[in-house]
Amino acid sequence: MRKGTALVVGATGITGGNLASYLTASGWTVYGLSRRPTDQAGVIPVATDLLDREATAAALAELPITHVFYCTWVRRDNEKANVEANGTMMHNLLDALQGASLAHVSLVTGTKQYLGAFENYGSGKTETPFRESAPRVPGENFYYTLEDIMFAAAERDGFSWNVHRPHTVIGYARGNAMNMGVTLAVYASICKATGKPFVFPGSQVQWNALTDLTDALVLARQLEWAAMTPGAHNEAFNTVNGDVFRWRRLWREMGEFFELEVADCPETPQPLEEQMADIAPIWAEIAEQNGLIEADVTKLASWWHTDADLGRELECVNDVTKSRDFGFDHFRETRAAFFDLFARLRAERIIP
């Protein structure tokens, strides 16, 4: 018995790709929308650029979509441009589906809800643990724009909605702009091959503070649960694994996994984007020597985004009490999420 017809927007990304696979296995009909779809078992590809209003309308015409899971974004040079581009994408999508069989929209944003946009991180002074009831941070933030467009369309068209706010998502995906797990696996593999010590690239605050992360499957489960639970509709939910950790311990455990020397955390951050600026030919050589399937390191690692996460100068812990109160109690050990991912990357010859 089919549960519904889902449109996963951003189906090639870390969140959308894992969600599309999960929904397919769970009994949904799944359409996967992206600019350049890839083959994914059971997922019906929909190719379009959401910035193109006419192309979006044509691609979605007459599709029997009941549930939208919005898991995408585009990066621009500043937050004003982010607001304009991402807002246009959401407008074009929801306008294309107006008058269709749409019953529910799920929007995935994240912890920048409480931290502010990349260019003014931490400006909101939001207390930890972050709660869904916290007021918006002053300043432009494309997350808020996406919410407001969705809220207005829901009032116009009568569908229900949810907002999901994961912290950094850990899971399998290649060529994704926000993929800490693969980035750290590539970094560790480079350290192993070159004899470099495994140096934490971020701040002393992140090294020492408690924090949390989100396994992609936990997020997928929560997205389906909220969409299928009427009592949870029209609510925002934080989405994290349910445990907390300190990088100073996990980093050493990662070093043990890769059999690396782990250096002490430097007094000042050592950003990966700077460390890895000239690493492309070295990775290409590592790939050739080990028979890896991707020799272009830029298609694997997102140095800038991992630097943004690990370089924060403030504590980041998310409260998931609300989600549990509403009935979602799935959890995942963060250490296991990383190590399972690393093992899969090895098995698929993405890292040595």
Side-chain angles (χ1 to χ4, degrees), residues 137-333:
V137 174
E140 290 192 292
N141 189 326
F142 80 87
Y143 285 0
Y144 307 156
T145 300
L146 293 178
E147 285 188 345
D148 289 343
I149 293 169
M150 181 181 68
F151 296 156
E155 186 172 350
R156 177 192 71 192
D157 299 336
F159 58 77
S160 55
W161 55 266
N162 285 110
V163 179
H164 298 262
R165 299 170 183 166
H167 200 170
T168 301
V169 179
I170 304 303
Y172 180 83
R174 290 166 53 201
N176 181 259
M178 302 171 70
N179 199 331
M180 178 191 283
V182 176
T183 298
L184 293 182
V186 169
Y187 174 52
S189 300
I190 290 168
C191 291
K192 184 72 176 290
T194 60
K196 290 166 55 74
F198 190 46
V199 178
F200 184 73
S203 68
Q204 286 276 341
V205 171
Q206 288 306 299
W207 179 254
N208 290 307
L210 288 171
T211 191
D212 51 32
L213 294 177
T214 305
D215 182 84
L217 183 56
V218 172
L219 177 54
R221 288 177 183 271
Q222 195 199 56
L223 280 158
E224 183 192 36
W225 161 80
M228 298 295 287
T229 305
H233 288 175
N234 304 329
E235 298 285 348
F237 293 108
N238 289 338
T239 318
V240 288
N241 289 341
D243 63 351
V244 293
F245 68 94
R246 299 184 202 276
W247 276 110
R248 68 190 188 205
R249 175 187 288 178
L250 182 57
W251 197 259
R252 293 189 177 97
E253 292 170 336
M254 287 183 177
E256 292 173 2
F257 182 95
F258 286 100
E259 300 177 326
L260 289 168
E261 174 191 349
V262 178
D264 290 333
C265 180
E267 288 295 322
T268 57
Q270 309 291 316
L272 290 173
E273 196 160 29
E274 295 177 8
Q275 288 190 53
M276 301 289 111
D278 301 315
I279 207 66
I282 295 174
W283 179 259
E285 185 176 343
I286 293 170
E288 182 178 2
Q289 291 174 348
N290 292 276
L292 305 183
I293 63 175
E294 182 53 74
D296 184 352
V297 72
T298 64
K299 294 182 179 179
L300 297 174
S302 52
W303 310 123
W304 69 271
H305 190 266
T306 297
D307 285 338
D309 279 350
L310 299 183
R312 294 170 183 157
E313 295 290 346
L314 70 167
E315 180 183 74
C316 295
V317 180
N318 292 269
D319 190 334
V320 290
T321 301
K322 178 180 177 181
S323 182
R324 289 169 174 161
D325 281 347
F326 274 77
F328 182 78
D329 58 5
H330 189 76
F331 71 94
R332 180 86 158 98
E333 185 197 25

Side-chain angles (χ1 to χ4, degrees), residues 3-7 28 31 60-68 94-105 157-160:
K3 294 181 178 179
T5 301
L7 178 69
W28 292 70
Y31 289 86
L60 298 178
E62 300 182 9
L63 293 186
I65 305 301
T66 60
H67 292 71
V68 166
L94 294 180
D95 287 352
L97 292 172
Q98 187 177 7
S101 51
L102 186 60
H104 190 85
V105 174
D157 299 336
F159 58 77
S160 55

Side-chain angles (χ1 to χ4, degrees), residues 113-115 124 126-127 131-138 144 165:
Q113 174 80 20
Y114 311 111
L115 296 174
T126 306
E127 291 282 354
R131 292 176 180 161
E132 294 90 341
S133 57
R136 289 179 172 181
V137 174
Y144 307 156
R165 299 170 183 166

